Amino acid sequence: MARLSPLQKKLKLKNKSASAKQQQAQAQAETEAVTLPKGKHIDIKVEGFSHDGRGVGRWHGKTVFVKGALPEEQVQAKVVEDYKNYADADILAINTANPLRVAAPCVYYDQCGGCQIQHLQADQQVPLKQQAIAEQLQRIAKIQVPEWVPAIAGESQAYRRRAHLATRYFKDSHKLLLGFREAAGRHIVPVDECLVLEASLNRLITPLKEAILQTENPAIYSHVELLQADELSLVVLPVLADSIAVDENIWQQFAKTWQAGVEVRLQNTEKQFFGGANGQASYQIRAAAEHQPLQINFASEDFIQVNGQANQAMVQQAMAWLDVQPGDQLLDLFCGAGNFSIPAASLGAEVVGIEGDSAMVQRAKNNANANHLAADFMQTDLFAQDVAGILRPYQFNKVILDPPRAGAKGVARLLRNQPIDKLVY
């Protein structure tokens, strides 16, 4: 083989084909070099959909998330923030609209930060979300979803059984704002009703505002939490004061007005209840459609799924997917008050539930006893480094986990040596 001269070597090095890794690095550098000043108006074709309901397009190779845009739309947008790898923008005008676009049914939609995709036909919202999840699974985990089962979906309005409303009191004008935080901001959008709230909670918004204004110092009521149980509406009022005895008559009367259907909880250094339920509420759930209902008791501070109808369907889907049988050794991680554990135990499984909140662990134990079921529950931090040791005495063939938004990446090490046949996440 002939030797290359110094000049030939130099030319070969200069023209050497870049590897895939080098090409990727070059493309990344070119993307980072694209800057989009805040406030800049751009025309962009929206091609995708993010998990949080924004349209996704590219401007000179840079990814741009456009709030309020839908796939297949050509829009004009204003840049609100520019980052190294992507930019955020708000929609200004729609040059070419997606045929599935509709006028949002909520009058507060443009300002309120609660809902993201009411501008899309309701029956198309879940398929678009599925598409976004499938794209993330493919891009991040290299998992191709072979087939979607029919989605668990109910009504698009009047389904939500929990809400958090912010308050702000103006002493000079004796005016109270009661509503939801605006999108991407701290200001309050005052509301008289919310289309996605259950009707039993919606009816309370205006009377609550009036009742707070009757109190001695409305400024001490920092926000309002509304929660609907099967037979009771809970109103939780965190209070920025030690003593609220002067307001007790107001809240006693408020609870009485609704004929025992409403409980008011004032929460400061102590917990005071008006309406008789002492902070305890419940909902019923069935492990399968033909089975007897089970009762899940919970406290107003506990986490529960906000869509009761979807939760019922989700529990039954999970039990069917796991094919729970008598004698199964089932592990329920992030078990809460027993939303999945109790139905699994009712089907004959030997259940161990693990939860980080000690109060909810006790609630789960109480729920098992109340339903005359045997199940073991333990409190431990599932994100701790040394948590794997607690499962060594057990052998589980089925697992269900329902983690918080932080995910459950570290749970893999917990399950490494378990003989698992079926797992539902």
Side-chain angles (χ1 to χ4, degrees):
M1 185 175 179
R3 282 188 169 186
L4 298 177
S5 69
L7 179 59
Q8 287 173 319
K9 290 180 180 179
K10 188 174 182 179
L11 289 172
K12 184 176 181 181
L13 182 63
K14 183 177 180 180
N15 295 318
K16 183 178 179 181
S17 297
S19 67
K21 191 173 183 179
Q22 289 171 325
Q23 291 174 350
Q24 185 179 8
Q26 182 179 356
Q28 179 75 11
E30 291 173 354
T31 298
E32 292 173 5
V34 175
T35 59
L36 284 167
K38 190 173 181 178
K40 180 179 177 64
H41 291 196
I42 59 174
D43 291 310
I44 189 168
K45 174 68 181 292
V46 180
E47 299 169 345
F49 190 69
S50 71
H51 71 283
D52 57 359
R54 294 178 293 170
V56 184
R58 290 188 177 277
W59 194 83
H60 294 279
K62 188 165 195 172
T63 299
V64 181
F65 295 95
V66 185
K67 181 189 172 188
L70 295 174
E72 304 175 21
E73 292 188 330
Q74 186 76 38
V75 304
Q76 186 182 57
K78 182 176 78 172
V79 177
V80 295
E81 204 66 62
D82 185 41
Y83 303 94
K84 186 165 69 173
N85 299 325
Y86 67 94
D88 292 333
D90 285 342
I91 195 168
L92 292 175
I94 304 168
N95 300 324
T96 305
N98 187 311
L100 300 176
R101 176 177 284 276
V102 296
C106 177
V107 296
Y108 309 107
Y109 182 64
D110 290 339
Q111 294 83 37
C112 180
C115 298
Q116 285 76 42
I117 52 175
Q118 283 191 0
H119 55 284
L120 177 64
Q121 287 181 16
D123 61 349
Q124 296 299 314
Q125 292 176 10
V126 169
L128 202 57
K129 290 179 182 180
Q130 287 181 334
Q131 178 184 329
I133 294 170
E135 289 173 354
Q136 287 194 330
L137 288 171
Q138 174 64 36
R139 179 173 56 85
I140 299 172
K142 312 304 179 190
I143 294 172
Q144 184 69 43
V145 179
E147 181 183 1
W148 288 96
V149 300
I152 292 174
E155 298 296 328
S156 61
Q157 297 182 15
Y159 66 85
R160 190 177 179 92
R161 59 180 176 179
R162 186 163 214 156
H164 179 115
L165 287 82
T167 65
R168 186 178 180 188
Y169 176 62
F170 298 89
K171 185 175 181 179
D172 291 344
S173 58
H174 192 55
K175 181 180 178 181
L176 179 75
L177 297 183
L178 176 63
F180 298 103
R181 297 289 180 187
E182 67 179 359
R186 297 295 300 165
H187 293 298
I188 296 172
V189 179
V191 302
D192 296 318
E193 64 175 354
C194 173
L195 289 184
V196 300
L197 272 187
E198 288 196 12
S200 53
L201 298 181
N202 250 330
R203 64 176 183 166
L204 298 176
I205 294 177
T206 298
L208 265 171
K209 179 179 176 180
E210 295 170 353
I212 293 174
L213 284 171
Q214 292 174 23
T215 62
E216 184 177 31
N217 182 7
I220 68 174
Y221 296 92
S222 59
H223 64 273
V224 176
E225 294 177 22
L226 300 177
L227 179 59
Q228 184 59 44
D230 277 358
E231 298 180 355
L232 183 72
S233 299
L234 295 174
V235 177
V236 182
L237 295 161
V239 186
L240 303 175
D242 290 340
S243 177
I244 47 178
V246 69
D247 294 340
E248 287 184 10
N249 287 337
I250 293 172
W251 297 117
Q252 283 174 347
Q253 187 59 43
F254 184 91
K256 286 179 181 178
T257 301
W258 305 96
Q259 298 179 350
V262 172
E263 178 185 287
V264 178
R265 170 180 170 180
L266 301 185
Q267 182 177 344
N268 52 358
T269 53
E270 297 180 356
K271 299 173 184 176
Q272 299 185 47
F273 305 100
F274 306 101
N278 293 327
Q280 295 294 323
S282 67
Y283 61 88
Q284 290 190 339
I285 201 115
R286 297 173 189 265
E290 67 276 10
H291 287 199
Q292 290 294 316
L294 303 159
Q295 183 164 305
I296 305 296
N297 298 310
F298 63 96
S300 56
E301 65 268 24
D302 293 347
F303 169 81
I304 62 169
Q305 296 289 344
V306 297
N307 188 323
Q309 182 184 12
N311 182 60
Q312 172 65 86
M314 186 168 61
V315 168
Q316 292 182 6
Q317 180 72 88
M319 297 300 106
W321 275 344
L322 288 167
D323 187 25
V324 180
Q325 300 294 328
D328 278 339
Q329 306 291 313
L330 188 141
L331 173 65
D332 182 3
L333 298 174
F334 310 95
C335 68
N339 188 59
F340 291 102
S341 298
I342 303 302
S346 75
L347 295 174
E350 297 178 21
V351 176
V352 173
I354 301 179
E355 166 63 43
D357 187 325
S358 59
M360 293 197 77
V361 169
Q362 187 58 54
R363 214 104 57 216
K365 291 178 179 178
N366 294 342
N367 283 332
N369 292 333
N371 288 283
H372 309 291
L373 296 169
D376 292 330
F377 295 96
M378 63 181 76
Q379 186 271 331
T380 194
D381 180 3
L382 286 164
F383 297 106
Q385 294 296 318
D386 58 349
V387 72
I390 66 171
L391 295 186
R392 289 196 187 104
Y394 300 95
Q395 293 284 292
F396 297 103
N397 67 318
K398 295 179 181 178
V399 177
I400 186 165
L401 58 153
D402 182 18
R405 291 183 183 182
K409 183 178 179 180
V411 164
R413 69 179 183 273
L414 274 179
L415 308 177
R416 190 171 297 153
N417 298 316
Q418 295 291 332
I420 299 168
D421 297 325
K422 294 179 184 293
L423 182 146
V424 170
Y425 189 144

